[in-house]
Amino acid sequence: MQKIIKQFPVLSQYTYVNTATSGLLYDDLLDWRQEHDLDFLIGGSSMKMKGHLLLSETRNTIGEFFGCKADNVALVPNFSIGLNLLLEGMGSARNVLLLEGDYPSLNWPFESKDCHTFYIKVTEALEENIYDRIRLDNINVLALSLVQWLNGIKVDLEFLGKLKKEFPDLLIIADGTQFLGTETFNFEDSGIDVLGASSYKWLLGGYGNGFMLFADDVPAKFNCSSTGFNAADADMEGREKISFAKQLEPGHLDTFNFGSLNYSLGFLSGIGMAAISDQIRGLSLKAKSEFENLGLLEESVVKRKIHSSIFNIAGDKELYAKLMEQDVVCAQRGNGIRLSFHFYNTEREIDKIIGILKGS
């Protein structure tokens, strides 16, 4: 893992525990990007005309990486655009269950529609509360982030699968931006109907790329109207043959951005998602234990058996400034300081942070 860590120049200067804000650029991806733009520089449109091959490869790579049919993958610039395009076809006769304090780009699009929205607090009993509300309130859409951006609380994925089996008509829409890239995941086995993500965080894909994954029966539940020449694969006769996923791709897609995602998925596969998951899990367990011993975690996080590698610790502006002065790159979120650990972090870095916290 140390050899891989050297791919990230930022890590030689800072203790970077801020992947929940932005993943890092690494040497090999920079090389690929420079080669891509050099090809464009000397090839112009002839290079770009071949772009559909790279985009098709990216779609296939995403499908293989996350266990989803390539035809059910939509390439979108980011999760927010993908979700808004999708919800244009959802209709208004829906009872939607949301989580209080979930990421605004997930909650706001539902709140702007005419659907009926219900809310639950994110507590240690999250799954039990979701189940009760769905059973009692005639909920037909559950929309949530798989990992909460503020405090890192992670929904039990097995629970979602069981929930779908008990309530097969329930539409589960999930944001995987703070989850995908942290462990092995198979979409078709998850029970989730729609899963979207921006790729600039844990997937290390850089900005301007994301995707939406759809279960086979999702097209029958929406009536989307977005369209464009790209959706028809630039076929003048293809307007009436546009697939559901391609409706979310009405315009040109950037080979630089989506090629970056394609490259990074290969990079992560080369490391091995099992190794990445083990590393992140070990860091999460150590960080949670240390922060809990210092009394810095909210009760709902402490009481849960499973957690992500994102933590929001009690701390004010002064503590945040002190961490930054010690070259610990983190973020102020909510009422605390958010620290997030990826596979390129180490236990030694956690020890450094704990030392700073104890000296504050």
Side-chain angles (χ1 to χ4, degrees), residues 213-335:
L213 310 180
F214 303 106
D216 288 335
D217 59 351
V218 164
K221 300 177 181 180
F222 290 86
N223 185 27
C224 297
S225 58
S226 55
T227 188
F229 201 31
N230 182 72
D233 295 323
D235 178 6
M236 290 296 294
E237 307 300 322
R239 182 175 179 179
E240 306 304 322
K241 305 174 185 177
I242 297 172
S243 69
F244 181 77
K246 292 289 285 184
Q247 285 186 295
L248 274 70
E249 302 178 13
H252 286 297
L253 298 171
D254 190 344
T255 54
F256 178 91
N257 293 335
F258 286 98
S260 294
L261 171 57
N262 184 61
Y263 189 90
S264 282
L265 291 179
F267 177 73
L268 296 177
S269 295
I271 299 171
M273 283 308 301
I276 289 173
S277 179
D278 287 344
Q279 174 73 357
I280 292 174
R281 186 182 301 111
L283 294 171
S284 175
L285 290 172
K286 178 178 175 64
K288 183 179 180 183
S289 176
E290 296 282 5
F291 294 148
E292 182 180 346
N293 289 339
L294 293 176
L296 297 175
L297 298 178
E298 57 189 273
E299 186 177 2
S300 58
V301 171
V302 171
K303 289 185 175 181
R304 287 182 64 81
K305 294 180 180 179
I306 60 172
H307 191 75
S308 70
S309 61
I310 300 173
F311 298 90
N312 197 313
I313 64 172
D316 54 18
K317 292 181 180 179
E318 287 72 22
L319 179 57
Y320 174 72
K322 184 173 183 179
L323 287 166
M324 294 294 285
E325 288 170 2
Q326 296 293 320
D327 295 330
V328 177
V329 181
C330 49
Q332 289 185 288
R333 291 292 183 270
N335 296 320

Side-chain angles (χ1 to χ4, degrees), residues 72-248:
N72 291 347
V73 176
L75 304 180
V76 294
N78 52 61
F79 170 78
S80 301
I81 288 176
L83 181 63
N84 276 275
L85 287 173
L86 177 70
L87 295 190
E88 286 299 315
M90 188 180 73
S92 59
R94 303 291 182 107
N95 293 332
V96 182
L97 182 61
L98 304 171
L99 307 187
E100 289 185 11
D102 209 336
Y103 195 61
S105 289
L106 177 69
N107 281 0
W108 288 358
F110 287 98
E111 293 168 349
S112 69
K113 303 300 177 187
D114 293 329
C115 53
H116 304 288
T117 52
F118 301 79
Y119 301 85
I120 61 170
K121 294 182 180 297
V122 178
T123 70
E124 64 272 15
L126 175 61
E127 290 80 9
E128 293 88 338
N129 293 338
I130 289 174
Y131 178 84
D132 289 341
R133 291 299 295 272
I134 289 173
R135 183 172 56 86
L136 297 174
D137 291 338
N138 193 32
I139 299 295
N140 45 38
V141 178
L142 169 65
L144 78 173
S145 297
L146 297 182
V147 171
Q148 292 297 296
W149 70 299
L150 288 176
N151 60 10
I153 283 183
K154 173 185 170 184
V155 67
D156 184 345
L157 296 178
E158 291 187 7
F159 162 77
L160 292 180
K162 294 176 181 178
L163 190 69
K164 184 65 176 180
K165 288 181 179 179
E166 183 166 349
F167 302 96
D169 294 329
L170 175 70
L171 183 65
I172 301 178
I173 300 176
D175 179 1
T177 302
Q178 294 288 17
F179 166 72
L180 296 178
T182 64
E183 63 182 68
T184 301
F185 174 78
N186 187 289
F187 174 71
E188 291 189 350
D189 294 338
S190 70
I192 298 171
D193 296 284
V194 179
L195 176 63
S198 295
S199 310
Y200 64 93
K201 298 181 187 286
W202 307 88
L203 291 172
L204 310 181
Y207 289 78
N209 60 73
F211 51 87
M212 306 289 285
L213 310 180
F214 303 106
D216 288 335
D217 59 351
V218 164
K221 300 177 181 180
F222 290 86
N223 185 27
C224 297
S225 58
S226 55
T227 188
F229 201 31
N230 182 72
D233 295 323
D235 178 6
M236 290 296 294
E237 307 300 322
R239 182 175 179 179
E240 306 304 322
K241 305 174 185 177
I242 297 172
S243 69
F244 181 77
K246 292 289 285 184
Q247 285 186 295
L248 274 70

Side-chain angles (χ1 to χ4, degrees), residues 279 282-283 286 341 345-354:
Q279 174 73 357
L283 294 171
K286 178 178 175 64
F341 303 91
N345 293 119
T346 66
E347 292 193 2
R348 183 177 298 178
E349 290 177 317
I350 296 176
D351 292 335
K352 172 185 173 180
I353 293 169
I354 297 303

